[in-house]
Amino acid sequence: MITFQKFVTSSNSHTLVWKRRVFPLLLTSVILASTLFLFSPHVKASTLVAHSQILINGDSKFTATNGVTGGTGTVSDPYLIQGWNINVCWQCPYYGIEVANTTAYFRISNVTVSSQITAQPATDILLKNVTNGRIDNTIVQDGGLHCCGGIIVDSSTNIVVSENNVEAGTCNNFSSCSTYDTVGAYSSSNVTISGNSIQADASGNVLGVRGSSNVNILNNTILMNGNAPIGAPWAPSNGIAVSSSGNVEITQNSVRDAACSGEPNSPAKSIIVGGSRTLQIFGNNITNTTSSNTCGSGIVLQSTTGAQVYHNNLIKNAVQASDDNPGKNQWDNGYPSGGNYWSDYNSTDNCSGPQQNVCPSPDGIGDTSYTFSSGQDNYPLMTPFAPDPPSSASEGGGGGGGRPLLL
């Protein structure tokens, strides 16, 4: 089990938090502009053309023979790899698309890569030691017996993975894989993973980050719907798993249906952070929608410091949260912004103020703290949190620029 630690955020400014939620698209645009290059995130649908596996090793290999359909490799005119349907066959090379050792700007878009049955370890799309890359509007179906990841970013910088549909099947052998998350970022920096739909059955983490810095995980839909087989050497898929990383922001993601496990002490974790520092986890929906699920966990911090966790909605998770280092992490955003919404919180809201001692004066924040294991949310929200729309001045949902969320 990896050890996780929390991330510290010094600002409890209500204005900053409000802006961060009211203008998420603006924030995302700024991040993309500063770390990479701006592209239109949508490509007109067209008939995909069958293509063999693509390997680009070095800038000189961005050629038509290697699947490049346009561009000159600059920030305003990146190399394009688009319009292809690639199937990783039974004894094909280890990749569907691999780009390695490059610095030119490039974009992989409107491509389908699938590895339904493979006789050897296969990664569908791999970026290795590259700078200035983008993958968007692509479908990845990783269903091989030896699957080693859907979209993997390794030892790279200035990368955007946006608005893709990535699905992993039931992998049965990881012994030859160094990477096996459905979407993963390893030993990389300045990475944005946003707007993706990601699903795993029993194949590592749905979204994994390790040994990386300056990572933004934004507005992804993550489905954890797979139980590991009884007696399998691995646990069911965790949702978002961060380890040995720093300066990571996890915001506005939907993570649901953490699974039980054939092994009694290995339930899935929706968000798990280990051995990391300087994190923000806010505005996420972490939900169990299955009545039979009695063992999945919500947010787990292990050996982590400097984490700030607030404005998340934790709904019906068997274990809502845990933190083995609570004195060095913060589970709310102060008053009046508030903390998190906990579906099992059963206190009342009769009072207001930083000490909740101005009565009667309800403010959308519970009058008593929400405690879990050794952690504590000092200002639990009475209703699920959602950001205000730009034109609204509503103060609902915790008195901190939010409104109740209808789930």
Side-chain angles (χ1 to χ4, degrees), residues 72-96:
T72 58
T74 66
V75 62
S76 60
D77 187 29
Y79 289 120
L80 297 178
I81 301 171
Q82 65 178 14
W84 303 123
N85 181 14
I86 298 172
N87 180 36
V88 182
C89 61
W90 177 249
Q91 291 186 331
C92 288
Y94 290 180
Y95 52 83

Side-chain angles (χ1 to χ4, degrees), residues 112-387:
T112 294
V113 181
S114 58
S115 56
Q116 296 306 310
I117 301 177
T118 55
Q120 55 189 350
T123 299
D124 291 279
I125 300 179
L126 173 63
L127 306 185
K128 176 75 171 179
N129 191 32
V130 306
T131 303
N132 304 323
R134 181 184 183 105
I135 304 169
D136 65 70
N137 293 286
T138 285
I139 297 174
V140 172
Q141 296 175 320
D142 185 2
L145 298 180
H146 298 269
C147 46
C148 293
I151 296 177
I152 301 298
V153 177
D154 189 2
S155 304
S156 299
T157 188
N158 289 351
I159 304 297
V160 173
V161 178
S162 178
E163 301 193 30
N164 303 286
N165 191 326
V166 190
E167 180 177 353
T170 303
C171 305
N172 292 321
N173 190 333
F174 299 143
S175 60
S176 300
C177 299
S178 60
T179 64
Y180 49 81
D181 297 329
T182 308
V183 173
Y186 314 136
S187 303
S188 296
S189 63
N190 299 335
V191 178
T192 295
I193 302 172
S194 66
N196 302 283
S197 176
I198 313 172
Q199 176 177 336
D201 290 335
S203 55
N205 303 307
V206 183
L207 196 165
V209 175
R210 69 171 184 253
S212 297
S213 62
N214 301 324
V215 179
N216 185 29
I217 301 170
L218 169 69
N219 196 31
N220 300 283
T221 299
I222 293 176
L223 179 61
M224 310 157 57
N225 66 340
N227 294 343
I230 294 176
W234 61 89
S237 300
N238 294 317
I240 299 174
V242 178
S243 63
S244 304
S245 297
N247 296 318
V248 179
E249 189 169 278
I250 303 171
T251 179
Q252 297 178 346
N253 301 282
S254 174
V255 188
R256 65 182 179 90
D257 296 345
C260 299
S261 171
E263 302 299 323
N265 297 317
S266 301
K269 286 81 173 173
S270 294
I271 296 178
I272 180 168
V273 179
S276 298
R277 54 183 173 74
T278 317
L279 233 87
Q280 284 197 350
I281 303 172
F282 63 88
N284 302 284
N285 292 321
I286 303 167
T287 309
N288 170 33
T289 64
T290 60
S291 59
S292 61
N293 186 352
T294 59
C295 62
S297 296
I299 300 176
V300 177
L301 303 183
Q302 296 179 346
S303 301
T304 291
T305 60
Q308 187 175 22
V309 185
Y310 61 99
H311 292 177
N312 301 286
N313 299 315
L314 292 110
I315 313 294
K316 297 182 179 179
N317 302 284
V319 178
Q320 297 276 47
S322 64
D323 184 356
D324 64 2
N325 205 4
K328 296 183 179 180
N329 298 302
Q330 184 174 341
W331 285 83
D332 59 67
N333 196 42
Y335 188 86
S337 181
N340 305 279
Y341 172 76
W342 311 85
S343 62
D344 57 343
Y345 179 71
N346 56 13
S347 187
T348 58
D349 175 24
N350 294 320
C351 304
S352 63
Q355 306 302 319
Q356 293 293 292
N357 57 359
V358 180
C359 311
S361 178
D363 59 357
I365 290 175
D367 295 337
T368 60
S369 299
Y370 178 89
T371 59
F372 57 91
S373 61
S374 56
Q376 179 171 298
D377 180 348
N378 296 308
Y379 299 107
L381 305 182
M382 296 301 294
T383 57
F385 180 86

Side-chain angles (χ1 to χ4, degrees), residues 99-118:
V99 181
N101 306 312
T102 64
T103 59
Y105 289 85
F106 68 91
R107 179 184 183 188
I108 299 170
S109 182
N110 193 28
V111 169
T112 294
V113 181
S114 58
S115 56
Q116 296 306 310
I117 301 177
T118 55

Side-chain angles (χ1 to χ4, degrees), residues 36-51:
L36 188 54
F37 42 91
L38 293 175
F39 295 115
S40 170
H42 298 286
V43 176
K44 292 182 179 180
S46 61
T47 301
L48 300 181
V49 177
H51 198 285

